Amino acid sequence: MTIEVAGLSKHFRVHRRPPGLAAAVRSLWRRRYDTVKAVDDVSFTIARGERVGFLGPNGAGKTTTMKVLSGLLHPTAGAVRVEGHQPFRREPDFLRRITLVMGQKQQLLWDLPPSETYALNRAVFGVDPAQARQTIAELTELLGLAGLTDKPTRQLSLGERMKCELAAALLHRPTTLFLDEPTIGLDVAMQVTIRDFIRDYNQRHDATVLLTSHYMDDVVALCPRVIVIDGGRLIHDGDLRALVKTMLPDKLVSFTGGVPAEEVARLGEVVKAEGGRTTVRVPEARLREVVSHVLDRAGADLAVEDPPLEDVMRKLFKDKRAAAPAAPPAEPPP
Amino acid sequence: MRLGYYARLFAVQARASLTTAMQYRADFLVQGLTSLYWLGWNLVPLLVLYDDRATVAGWSFGAALVVMAHFVIVRGILEGAINPSLGAVVEQIRSGAFDYTLLRPADAQFLVSTARFAPWRALDVLGGVGLLIYAFVRLGHAPSPAQLGAGLVLLGAGLAVMYGLWIMIVATAFWVVRMDNLIYLLSSVFDAARWPASVFRGVWKVVFTFVIPLALMTTFPARALLGTVTWQAGIGCLVGALLVSIVARLVWRLALRSYTSASS
Ligand SMILES: Nc1ncnc2c1ncn2[C@@H]1O[C@H](COP(=O)(O)OP(=O)(O)OP(=O)(O)O)[C@@H](O)[C@H]1O
Ligand SMILES: [Mg+2]
């Protein structure tokens, strides 16, 4: 197992500042602390070469978990092993095997071309020049970096910069990739480029990938397996398709024209009808029947899709929160 | 092996700083001229003071020039090699780029300390050396090799003290910046983007640029060159430098531990 996490918790102690000026002044000498359970008793393992989607709403604890796994944060409790090391020791041999890409933070030197950051990383990671050249050639081809790496970073567009960030993070050929929202803010075409690149890197180097993204398309396209957390707690870990199937077993059938309005209503619940295209929700058991009916009337322009992952997630969080009423609030200050 | 590794790292970082500086060549020129201008102004009080007397408090004009030259050299090193990195690391902690520093398999203190130089400050250092030479011409004698050696060693000790204090200041930045994270988290009324950086620039800049360098780093090496420093004072300086360096390293590690237990 490349990544082993057992009973991981990460709690932050935050100073609580009550509202109001008087209270704020008083709190200068009487500080009250709250404990934020950013990650709470989470366990999972990931095998070499897996691509796993790490999902959860804002504040779920995804970034915190990634930081613990990459050694930036000490765990409060629990055992973590990544590539055979305890991350928080930050041993050079460990750091040479992993990488963390944060879509919201950049490592490229702002005033200099990305190639300068590559030179720095090459020296820091002790990559020998021949291998570095080969890696850069490979990354340049896969990411389409030609012409970008010699312009100052500040002159690059967001998407171009992200591609260069990825290259900087992968120069030392890590075998475990923690990708925290690597596609944030990118247009659809650029998202697809990055996605394809990640899959390709994963296959070429048998690299393990843990990916967070709020764009469900990334996850659907890349990750056969998903781990879902909410409020710091693990609520699902398993096959993505199976999750979709159990949460929302219905399929979405869409087609253009051809079917009279009164028949459409009988096919299933209409989810969307715009621009002459109709989408109906159909239970899996009736799928065959509905599809053949529509094919008879509407001809070839027919599509059958899984319900969007967004809907699946929404339902998952709702169900779990209903099942386990709010976790006890923060511990009282000691 | 390790030494070679860090020498290479240093070279790469220094080159990056130089390349950045070259992008702002106009700055280079302006900064260079400004430092020469200030070098001139620094001399004015001395010239006024020594206009109608040969010595002030036992210091001749030449000897006072030696001290002044040290001040210029030290300030050049401070503003060229130490302050820019201070700014860079506080900025890194603030923007979160410091996380990337911690992900690199090299000593974080080394990476941070060599992150940014202001190469044009070398002009100050050169100006200071020129002044030093002129001062000894005025004095009519050159320092002996032993005095020169002692001067260099004490200058090194002084720089070590400065650097140690600087590292401790950076370490406090871990806490200050964290605090303002909390402020941000709790959406308080403070404008978090504003104050810590200015705190560092305000008070510390004064302390670092004037008080400590003047007292510690200028007088002792200057007196070593002039041959008026005692053995005891010299050894005291060295021991002090060693102690500050050790304490600084400990404080740095403590701060790093606190950072990794609660950064965001
Ligand atoms: N340094 C810190 N101090 C205090 N609380 C923190 C700190 N860092 C994170 N938290 C809290 O921990 C929780 C989890 O944060 P985290 O950044 O891991 O969420 P996330 O799942 O990455 O969310 P998002 O999708 O918005 O990026 C949040 O409630 C956050 O406010
Ligand atoms: Mg996050």
Side-chain angles (χ1 to χ4, degrees):
Chain A
M1 287 293 146
T2 313
I3 302 176
E4 293 171 73
V5 176
L8 171 67
S9 294
K10 176 69 204 179
H11 297 174
F12 294 108
R13 219 162 69 106
V14 296
H15 167 212
R16 180 167 45 180
R17 187 187 293 270
L21 183 63
V25 171
R26 210 170 320 124
S27 77
L28 283 179
W29 59 90
R30 289 197 59 179
R31 294 195 154 222
R32 309 229 287 155
Y33 290 96
D34 281 343
T35 303
V36 176
K37 294 185 175 178
V39 180
D40 194 16
D41 195 19
V42 165
S43 305
F44 57 84
T45 58
I46 298 177
R48 153 109 20 256
E50 268 195 279
R51 295 188 306 264
V52 179
F54 193 32
L55 305 179
N58 289 131
K62 304 180 295 294
T63 300
T64 306
T65 306
M66 291 248 191
K67 284 186 169 186
V68 172
L69 293 180
S70 53
L72 293 177
L73 288 176
H74 270 256
T76 306
V80 178
R81 286 194 88 76
V82 175
E83 296 268 0
H85 293 262
Q86 287 177 293
F88 71 86
R89 296 181 180 276
R90 294 180 38 242
E91 290 153 319
D93 188 48
F94 165 74
L95 295 173
R96 275 194 284 269
R97 286 164 193 263
I98 65 142
T99 200
L100 169 66
V101 175
M102 295 175 278
Q104 326 242 31
K105 297 178 181 178
Q106 66 161 41
Q107 66 165 318
L108 295 176
L109 300 163
W110 187 245
D111 279 324
L112 293 173
S115 55
E116 291 288 336
T117 307
Y118 301 163
L120 173 62
N121 279 0
R122 191 170 68 71
V124 168
F125 286 96
V127 185
D128 77 61
Q131 199 207 314
R133 258 196 305 282
Q134 195 200 334
T135 307
I136 289 180
E138 183 186 313
L139 293 170
T140 303
E141 184 207 317
L142 290 176
L143 281 167
L145 298 181
L148 297 181
T149 52
D150 293 322
K151 279 203 258 176
T153 304
R154 64 185 135 82
Q155 289 174 10
L156 300 177
S157 79
L158 183 64
E160 293 169 342
R161 203 191 313 148
M162 197 59 228
K163 291 200 285 187
C164 293
E165 281 283 336
L166 267 177
L170 296 174
L171 195 73
H172 58 289
R173 293 231 181 127
T175 47
T176 294
L177 276 49
F178 299 112
L179 308 176
D180 193 8
E181 306 191 36
T183 54
I184 192 164
L186 305 186
D187 69 27
V188 178
M190 191 64 80
Q191 284 179 24
V192 172
T193 308
I194 303 264
R195 243 178 249 161
D196 290 346
F197 170 75
I198 293 170
R199 189 183 307 105
D200 202 273
Y201 186 93
N202 153 265
Q203 284 164 357
R204 274 186 200 220
H205 303 290
D206 198 22
T208 312
V209 176
L210 185 63
L211 167 89
T212 77
S213 177
H214 288 292
Y215 303 120
M216 291 305 136
D217 289 349
D218 286 345
V219 178
V220 173
L222 275 178
C223 306
R225 172 183 167 197
V226 290
I227 295 174
V228 185
I229 59 170
D230 187 17
R233 303 194 69 103
L234 190 96
I235 60 174
H236 175 84
D237 178 0
D239 188 70
L240 177 61
R241 259 168 235 289
L243 174 70
V244 173
K245 217 166 221 160
T246 52
M247 294 312 293
L248 295 175
D250 298 348
K251 298 277 180 188
L252 298 180
V253 179
S254 61
F255 49 87
T256 11
V259 186
E262 65 277 9
E263 278 181 33
V264 171
R266 258 184 286 133
L267 292 176
E269 181 201 339
V270 178
V271 193
K272 205 163 79 181
E274 49 180 46
R277 192 167 183 87
T278 315
T279 307
V280 290
R281 191 199 310 279
V282 180
E284 187 143 41
R286 288 188 55 224
L287 187 61
R288 190 178 289 270
E289 174 203 333
V290 170
V291 167
S292 64
H293 188 86
V294 174
L295 276 178
D296 283 348
R297 307 291 170 108
D301 190 13
L302 170 124
V304 178
E305 286 171 341
D306 281 328
L309 191 51
E310 282 85 353
D311 293 356
V312 175
M313 287 299 142
R314 213 172 296 132
K315 182 149 190 296
L316 180 65
F317 297 137
K318 216 173 89 199
D319 288 3
K320 291 286 175 176
R321 283 178 187 167
E331 289 166 6
Chain B
M1 167 57 213
R2 292 314 280 165
L3 210 62
Y5 172 74
Y6 280 105
R8 257 196 309 283
L9 273 191
F10 182 83
V12 174
Q13 301 248 74
R15 199 191 59 193
S17 286
L18 199 65
T19 317
T20 312
M22 284 309 168
Q23 286 186 9
Y24 299 98
R25 251 163 302 193
D27 269 24
F28 191 99
L29 200 70
V30 171
Q31 300 269 359
L33 289 178
T34 337
S35 17
L36 287 181
Y37 174 78
W38 282 113
L39 179 61
W41 267 109
N42 282 332
L43 293 177
V44 170
L46 272 192
L47 293 175
V48 170
L49 214 54
Y50 284 95
D51 189 32
D52 56 357
R53 54 203 124 177
T55 64
V56 174
W59 290 76
S60 69
F61 180 60
L65 265 188
V66 171
V67 176
M68 176 61 76
H70 271 90
F71 175 70
V72 173
I73 292 172
V74 162
R75 199 189 48 191
I77 295 177
L78 189 66
E79 304 221 317
I82 298 186
N83 281 348
S85 306
L86 165 72
V89 69
V90 172
E91 202 179 293
Q92 273 193 10
I93 295 172
R94 172 174 278 304
S95 71
F98 187 69
D99 284 342
Y100 287 113
T101 300
L102 290 183
L103 287 168
R104 296 186 168 130
D107 186 74
Q109 185 183 335
F110 177 87
L111 285 177
V112 150
S113 309
T114 54
R116 195 180 296 170
F117 299 97
W120 49 75
R121 289 291 168 189
L123 288 180
D124 290 55
V125 178
L126 284 181
V129 172
L131 199 59
L132 197 61
I133 293 171
Y134 172 70
F136 276 102
V137 171
R138 281 287 298 239
L139 285 172
H141 68 85
S144 72
Q147 286 168 345
L148 205 60
L152 280 176
V153 168
L154 287 190
L155 188 65
L159 286 172
V161 170
M162 287 295 307
Y163 171 70
L165 289 173
W166 169 78
I167 280 294
M168 288 190 245
I169 296 299
V170 171
T172 64
F174 286 84
W175 283 291
V176 174
V177 175
R178 212 178 87 205
M179 230 158 77
D180 96 41
N181 258 335
L182 299 187
I183 288 168
Y184 168 75
L185 270 175
L186 299 165
S187 57
S188 140
V189 288
F190 287 99
D191 175 9
R194 213 179 44 213
W195 59 273
S198 52
V199 167
F200 282 107
R201 277 179 203 138
V203 178
W204 291 111
K205 190 160 182 164
V206 173
V207 171
F208 271 73
T209 322
F210 299 107
V211 183
I212 297 168
L214 261 184
L216 247 165
M217 310 189 37
T218 316
T219 330
F220 284 105
R223 293 178 67 161
L225 279 193
L226 295 167
T228 56
V229 78
T230 63
W231 275 109
Q232 292 88 322
I235 288 176
C237 280
L238 290 183
V239 172
L242 193 68
L243 276 181
V244 171
S245 304
I246 292 171
V247 171
R249 182 69 184 177
L250 291 178
V251 170
W252 167 265
R253 293 177 65 150
L254 201 69
L256 209 57
R257 178 124 31 100
S258 129
Y259 182 86
T260 58
S261 68
S263 73
S264 101

